[in-house]
Amino acid sequence: MTKSSSSKDSITGSLRLLLVLTAALLISACDDGHDAPVPLTLRELADQRGILIGAAAQPGLIANDADYARILAAEFNSITAENDMKWKATEPKHMTYTWENADAIAAFATAYGQTVRGHTLVWPNEFQFQVIPDYVRNAADASTMQQYIDDHIEAVVTRYADVVDRWDVINEPLETLGTGVDQNVITATLGEAWMVRAFQQARTLDPTADLYVNESLTELIPAKHAGLLALVGRLIDAGAPIDGVGLQAHFLGGKVPAALQSVMEDWQALGLKVAITELDIATVGGDLQTHATQYASVFATCLAVSACVEVTSWGFTDRATWLNGFIGPEFTPLLFTENYQPKPAYTAVAKTLAGD
Ligand code: XIL
């Protein structure tokens, strides 16, 4: 009894020792696990740096693709509706409104504590895309066209003022491949006065939002940058309350232009904010390392210029990029693969935001 009990005690003792040692090993393994830094999301890193990191988003994917929605919520502190806040999407006929998709974007952003870039109140330039509703194009006279613009801005800004904190009031006022003001049907009919009025109206309706002109290719074409500087200067002189300039930054050649920083600094010198609003960088020859370096350089440039408040990419997964249809599926321009794996560009951006 005694023996057996003492033997049992000794087995129990060995077992206890074994358990204690095992527990100690497990705890130290756990400690190692806890000590290893949990990688922060791009959103957390951007929050720490005080900049916005955004992505253009599509409500159909938000609703039907859980991976898409999960990454969009986790990795970005801002969203831009890729198409669903545009004029044709929200008011295809005068005062006939189709808000459902734009509402879905706004609701998602609200649910996940994200800001929204309101894109866009008026996009007059129709190069490549038929963006002006027919009723506007066919307005009976100039004052009717102006009324349509006023009504549209009032409806959209009123509806989304609470969730949108900055508006692309005007998208692409310049000729796409030129340097001057685009003579589309709106500007040809109303001159530049409609632009001044659009900014004034947006300011009145949403006094706390930042108001932007958003433009393509100025980072790449110096004369177009000069054209935009001239136009924005004229609009401000005429009383337009402009807070910032959006650089679309569609780098379809796979290179980031050397002038990006000086272009930003020119806007900063005028006291304006500057945002990268539609970044995508083509991958050339499947070289994902170069792609990563290019992405990192855009974020580094934004961090280096105090007026730069935002880097938004035009989507985040190669599964859903407008470039698949526009220039081809081989350019894989975004941060995640079509199967939602983070690419080297993701890691490079994270390191840049972390200051590594
Ligand atoms: C694009 C969308 O990505 C496409 O789905 C749509 O067919 C056309 O518009 N500049 C802009 C964006 O300001 O609104 C455009 O978005 C891309 C070019």
Side-chain angles (χ1 to χ4, degrees), residues 82-83 86 119 123 129 171-172 248 250 278 314 322:
E82 181 166 350
N83 287 305
K86 292 172 182 172
H119 178 80
W123 182 3
F129 306 107
N171 193 34
E172 301 186 355
Q248 291 187 4
H250 293 293
E278 304 182 16
W314 211 234
W322 72 306

Side-chain angles (χ1 to χ4, degrees), residues 225-310:
H225 172 53
L228 191 61
L229 283 166
L231 173 64
V232 168
R234 287 197 301 278
L235 296 178
I236 289 174
D237 286 349
I242 299 177
D243 300 300
V245 171
L247 310 177
Q248 291 187 4
H250 293 293
F251 298 139
L252 307 192
K255 286 194 180 134
V256 174
L260 183 60
Q261 182 157 342
S262 67
V263 165
M264 286 186 178
E265 286 167 349
D266 285 348
W267 294 116
Q268 176 170 278
L270 296 178
L272 297 178
K273 295 181 180 177
V274 64
I276 302 280
T277 55
E278 304 182 16
L279 177 66
D280 38 34
I281 306 176
T283 302
V284 179
D287 182 354
L288 291 175
Q289 295 309 324
T290 300
H291 183 249
T293 305
Q294 303 285 353
Y295 256 95
S297 80
V298 173
F299 280 79
T301 304
C302 183
L303 291 171
V305 177
S306 57
C308 182
V309 294
E310 167 182 1

Side-chain angles (χ1 to χ4, degrees), residues 26-36:
L26 281 174
I27 287 165
S28 87
C30 275
D31 275 347
D32 281 344
H34 283 140
D35 286 342

